[in-house]
Amino acid sequence: MDNSGWRIRRPARGCRLSGVRAADISEDLSHVLYTAEELSTRLAAIAADIDRDYAGKDLLLVGVLNGAIMVVSDLSRAMTKHCTMDWMAISSYGSGTKSSGVVRILKDLTTDITGKHVLIIEDIVDTGLTLSYLVHNLASREPASLQVMTMFRKPDAATTVVEVAYVGFDIPNEFVVGYGLDYAGRYRNLADVATLAPHIYS
Ligand code: IMP
């Protein structure tokens, strides 16, 4: 089919909406780790790596709800290859900033992943407890391949045995919000990633 008459041109990789910016809620925040523009640039580079690594293969992105919604959304649109998506919801955190140590499936996949190339998309890996559980669970379903991409990784994650193929940023051991990451359900739609001001959780 001749698409030459189409008025929609391909935008630059990683083009995104601005949303709520750190400057809009600066009284709630301590400092900004990454701006929306920096997140977008990094994600575009990872998308290019994934495009290359999965060339010629059908790829299923498995987003871990709720935190990975922004990552899946932006990553998939920064990719130039067709992919499919599915979602899992897993609980490992309460409403505070400490891991509860309890992992359970709140929502399972709707797709049978047997024989498929699966890429788990995480927002953040902290202790690695959630990811470790997820990888073992999905591996038992016998996918053709199983890899992990996370937007952020904290230092403790390095001590877990789970291999992460694609990492957005290695960050310090601080509680961060924005770009899908929440504190008690808030700040997910902050476009930048920042630490919270102490008065928010004290
Ligand atoms: P892990 O099992 O300790 O690796 O924790 C992973 C989950 O904890 C993530 O998917 C997030 O939901 C949550 N989490 C860990 N660190 C943070 C953070 O700094 N901000 C927001 N959520 C976090």
Side-chain angles (χ1 to χ4, degrees):
M1 191 168 107
D2 178 10
N3 294 339
S4 57
W6 286 21
R7 291 170 56 236
I8 300 172
R9 298 234 178 93
R10 179 184 296 283
R13 269 189 193 265
C15 175
R16 67 194 312 283
L17 301 171
S18 61
V20 178
R21 299 305 301 260
D24 301 329
I25 56 165
S26 57
E27 65 283 0
D28 287 12
L29 305 176
S30 183
H31 64 272
V32 174
L33 273 85
Y34 299 103
T35 64
E37 292 73 17
E38 289 167 331
L39 298 175
S40 188
T41 300
R42 182 71 191 114
L43 214 43
I46 294 174
D49 289 345
I50 293 171
D51 275 340
R52 182 201 59 221
D53 295 348
Y54 288 90
K57 294 175 180 163
D58 287 331
L59 177 62
L60 171 67
L61 302 182
V62 170
V64 184
L65 295 172
N66 296 318
I69 48 172
M70 308 299 179
V71 190
V72 173
S73 168
D74 288 341
L75 177 75
S76 61
R77 287 176 298 166
M79 287 165 51
T80 56
K81 266 179 48 67
H82 173 75
C83 66
T84 52
M85 293 174 209
D86 204 342
W87 304 88
M88 277 186 93
I90 283 180
S91 91
S92 63
Y93 263 61
S95 59
T97 60
K98 290 265 181 342
S99 175
S100 67
V102 177
V103 180
R104 65 194 168 101
I105 294 180
L106 304 176
K107 183 217 168 290
D108 208 339
L109 297 176
T110 54
T111 316
D112 176 6
I113 62 167
T114 308
K116 296 197 172 140
H117 294 285
V118 175
L119 181 61
I120 298 171
I121 312 289
E122 272 278 19
D123 49 356
I124 191 163
V125 185
D126 182 355
T127 62
L129 193 71
T130 313
L131 185 58
S132 169
Y133 172 84
L134 197 56
V135 165
H136 286 107
N137 184 295
L138 295 191
S140 71
R141 307 183 197 192
E142 300 183 352
S145 69
L146 183 63
Q147 298 280 8
V148 180
M149 179 265 164
T150 186
M151 196 63 197
F152 302 102
R153 183 170 63 179
K154 291 190 185 177
D156 285 351
T159 61
T160 61
V161 288
V162 179
E163 188 193 326
V164 180
Y166 309 94
V167 179
F169 298 100
D170 278 304
I171 64 168
N173 211 355
E174 298 178 308
F175 193 82
V176 295
V177 294
Y179 201 61
L181 293 162
D182 75 307
Y183 172 68
R186 301 191 66 212
Y187 307 107
R188 287 196 200 279
N189 69 328
L190 172 63
D192 312 293
V193 166
T195 54
L196 281 175
H199 74 87
I200 297 294
Y201 46 78
S202 58

